[in-house]
Amino acid sequence: MDPAAATVSAALSDRGEEVFDLFRRPQGRSRTRPDERTAIESARTSELAVNGKVAVVYRWGSGERPVLLVHGWESRASRYAKAVDRLLELGYSPVSFDAPGHGEATGDTTTLLEYRDIITELHRVHGEFEAIVAHSFGATATFFALQHGVRAGRIVAISTVPDFTYLVDAFSAGMGLEAHLKEELRGRIERDVYPGEADMWTRFSVFHESASVRIPLLVIHDEEDGMVDAGQGRRVAEAFGDRARLVTTRRFGHRRILGAPQVVAEIAKFMTSGVTEDGRKSEVGAG
């Protein structure tokens, strides 16, 4: 067991409440890195109200050929700075946002439903996206938004959290939770975070209604991802068959992958050439 998890387990008499709080709230708010500032400072920013909180929206370019960039849990829009620069060079208009509890947004947490509502509103404003590029939990949210009418020409899914079941299983394993605490956590999520969301464990999934997603999909996952194991990337690519191409990286892990030059190049290649290259798999190294 991780030492931090052991401390939590030993110190709490009512661990269920604490575990639930750790699960539902981002643990720290990441800040803009020095090499991201130029891109973020050049963006046109606005605010978007969602469920009593305020998300921050970033826009670049002329507005033509919009590409939505969706960050993951405990992340922020600025992590896409290098992708923003490359997309602008290619004539696209990147759009991104800080979800509640992240970046410059208000609040201390967010939900899959809030992500969906933000993505849906940006879709209403910008129309069909040329592509959506999404990372981790943001990829889960993107596929959920597709179930609710959002349209895009293609999808890039990076370090994808495949579904809520995996999210809870991975969290519980990392915390070393006993079976009864894991079940208590699932119950609290159902009752307190997603009340009224019938069959959420099936619907909150990249795989739900996957047959209806007919657009090209680029799946990128690092073999040394310590948060979402690389097998999940292969699982996602296999689920979408010939519509998907899998790119496997090494030594970028779960978070550094977004700024990796090879990954930005793969996104650019996918945007300009689709999935027409020979074969479904390719590999790039960290160099």
Side-chain angles (χ1 to χ4, degrees):
M1 182 186 297
D2 182 271
T7 300
V8 170
S9 296
L12 296 173
S13 58
D14 183 6
R15 290 179 293 170
E17 181 69 28
E18 180 71 9
V19 165
F20 176 62
D21 194 61
L22 286 171
F23 177 84
R24 68 184 294 263
R25 298 182 194 279
Q27 301 303 300
R29 192 178 290 243
S30 60
R31 301 186 181 278
T32 302
R33 296 168 181 161
D35 61 350
E36 299 168 350
R37 287 176 186 154
T38 298
I40 287 297
E41 290 171 358
S42 69
R44 300 185 301 280
T45 62
S46 59
E47 295 183 342
L48 176 60
V50 54
N51 196 27
K53 293 172 275 190
V54 176
V56 177
V57 178
Y58 304 86
R59 297 178 174 88
W60 297 264
S62 66
E64 298 180 355
R65 305 174 72 196
V67 175
L68 181 64
L69 309 173
V70 185
H71 71 73
W73 196 254
E74 297 180 356
S75 189
R76 56 186 297 145
S78 65
R79 298 296 181 260
Y80 281 109
K82 291 182 175 62
V84 165
D85 291 343
R86 186 70 181 110
L87 288 168
L88 286 170
E89 290 173 356
L90 293 171
Y92 294 98
S93 296
V95 180
S96 193
F97 62 90
D98 290 338
H102 296 76
E104 304 304 316
T106 67
D108 60 1
T109 190
T110 191
T111 67
L112 192 74
L113 303 181
E114 292 175 355
Y115 263 79
R116 177 202 61 192
D117 291 347
I118 295 167
I119 294 170
T120 299
E121 175 60 16
L122 294 176
H123 178 262
R124 185 192 69 79
V125 171
H126 295 278
E128 180 172 326
F129 296 108
E130 291 272 332
I132 301 178
V133 181
H135 177 245
S136 191
F137 182 80
T140 323
T142 292
F143 281 90
F144 188 59
L146 293 177
Q147 297 173 29
H148 292 82
V150 170
R151 295 290 176 262
R154 60 193 67 198
I155 301 291
V156 180
I158 306 170
S159 310
T160 303
V161 174
D163 50 43
F164 248 62
T165 298
Y166 179 86
L167 194 64
V168 172
D169 287 350
F171 176 83
S172 299
M175 291 291 296
L177 299 183
E178 300 95 330
H180 72 91
L181 278 175
K182 178 180 174 181
E183 287 308 306
E184 181 179 343
L185 175 61
R186 285 175 61 97
R188 289 291 302 271
I189 293 168
E190 292 171 356
R191 295 190 306 272
D192 299 342
V193 184
Y194 298 103
E197 290 295 325
D199 202 20
M200 58 165 285
W201 303 103
T202 298
R203 293 189 301 109
F204 293 3
S205 171
V206 168
F207 308 113
H208 185 59
E209 299 182 354
S210 61
S212 66
V213 180
R214 306 302 306 172
I215 57 179
L217 172 65
L218 175 63
V219 180
I220 305 177
H221 215 110
D222 196 82
E223 290 287 356
E224 299 174 23
D225 190 323
M227 299 185 69
V228 182
D229 70 84
Q232 299 307 313
R234 290 187 284 273
R235 181 183 171 208
V236 171
E238 289 169 1
F240 288 88
D242 292 341
R243 289 162 287 168
R245 183 168 67 90
L246 174 65
V247 171
T248 303
T249 66
R250 294 190 180 93
R251 298 192 297 278
F252 296 139
H254 187 74
R255 300 191 185 280
R256 289 194 302 121
I257 193 170
L258 283 184
Q262 293 94 327
V263 171
V264 174
E266 286 289 344
I267 294 171
K269 182 167 65 175
F270 179 65
M271 293 297 300
T272 56
S273 64
V275 289
T276 60
E277 290 132 27
D278 295 334
R280 291 179 52 228
K281 287 190 176 183
S282 64
E283 289 196 358
V284 297

